[in-house]
Amino acid sequence: NAGVTQTPKFRVLKTGQSMTLLCAQDMNHEYMYWYRQDPGMGLRLIHYSVGEGTTAKGEVPDGYNVSRLKKQNFLLGLESAAPSQTSVYFCASSRSYYEKLFFGSGTQLSVL
Amino acid sequence: AQTVTQSQPEMSVQEAETVTLSCTYDTSESDYYLFWYKQPPSRQMILVIRQEAYKQQNATENRFSVNFQKAAKSFSLKISDSQLGDAAMYFCAYRSAGGQGAQKLVFGQGTRLTINP
């Protein structure tokens, strides 16, 4: 009963470093999403995918890249981290566009 | 683009009392879905309730109910008999029923709810 699993749960980066956040779901969902959560701003969509091999930009895509090479995995990459990318990152998945989202437990990222 | 606004950053209520959280949204679409999500201190996002815009009847889930006013573009959440476990951040969210917008969930800024014992 894993659902949506995010790794890592916490990470501290220095400005300019790169990293990849991994999201894995075991529900055979088509749709997967990456959101970031900042105080007073709710959750904002970074990138999303509507199926294996597809990706699309969300509301705040700059500075991030994603890949969906396997249906169950959705990777979020930061090529050159900036302090403005300090945030909590959530991955989510759903079977279809009208069904509820299942969320991971989040990744707290700090960029110094 | 659709927007969701939660004008109450914080709310508090006495245990066992009723509280209503406000949400308004802006859209030109006639068919869509609205949601309330709860985020307790554990950070886990939990779906509380969902409303389809084409349904006039307000959704209800146990102590949670909504007041959906389509013409006013308002979607408030009422929590009856508040319990300590209801303390959390609550997010209102919107999703189109078709087209590219259907692929995305748009969130409001959130309302932090405190339950006073």
Side-chain angles (χ1 to χ4, degrees), chain A residues 13-19 63 78-85 109-112:
Chain A
L13 289 178
K14 294 182 180 178
T15 297
Q17 287 186 318
S18 63
M19 77 162 294
L78 286 72
E79 290 188 349
S80 180
S84 61
Q85 294 178 304
L109 174 65
S110 295
V111 183
L112 306 178

Side-chain angles (χ1 to χ4, degrees), chain B residues 39-81:
Chain B
Q39 186 182 45
S42 67
R43 224 164 53 186
Q44 188 67 40
M45 293 288 285
I46 303 165
L47 177 64
V48 175
I49 201 163
R50 169 184 132 145
Q51 174 82 42
E52 291 96 340
Y54 63 85
K55 289 187 177 178
Q56 292 187 343
Q57 186 173 7
N58 289 324
T60 299
E61 289 286 342
N62 300 315
R63 298 181 295 107
F64 298 86
S65 62
V66 297
N67 183 6
F68 173 49
Q69 301 288 330
K70 191 172 184 179
K73 297 179 183 175
S74 171
F75 183 60
S76 60
L77 175 69
K78 185 171 83 170
I79 306 174
S80 303
D81 186 24

Side-chain angles (χ1 to χ4, degrees), chain A residues 33 35 37 40 42-43 45 48 50 90 97-101 103 105-106, chain B residues 33 37 39 43-45 47 50 91 95 97 102-105 107-109:
Chain A
Y33 308 83
Y35 284 90
Q37 181 180 8
L43 278 77
L45 183 63
Y48 64 100
V50 300
F90 284 94
Y97 70 84
Y98 55 85
E99 298 197 36
K100 77 170 193 177
L101 266 63
F103 284 83
S105 56
Chain B
Y33 301 89
Y37 278 86
Q39 186 182 45
R43 224 164 53 186
Q44 188 67 40
M45 293 288 285
L47 177 64
R50 169 184 132 145
F91 292 98
R95 191 169 201 173
Q103 299 162 355
K104 298 173 281 189
L105 198 60
F107 286 86
Q109 304 91 329

Side-chain angles (χ1 to χ4, degrees), chain A residues 2-29:
Chain A
V4 178
T5 303
Q6 290 182 233
T7 52
K9 295 194 183 316
F10 302 92
R11 186 73 186 268
V12 179
L13 289 178
K14 294 182 180 178
T15 297
Q17 287 186 318
S18 63
M19 77 162 294
T20 300
L21 280 66
L22 171 64
C23 177
Q25 52 95 3
D26 61 1
M27 298 171 282
N28 201 35
H29 285 172

Side-chain angles (χ1 to χ4, degrees), chain A residues 83-94:
Chain A
S84 61
Q85 294 178 304
T86 293
S87 188
V88 179
Y89 291 85
F90 284 94
C91 176
S93 72
S94 67

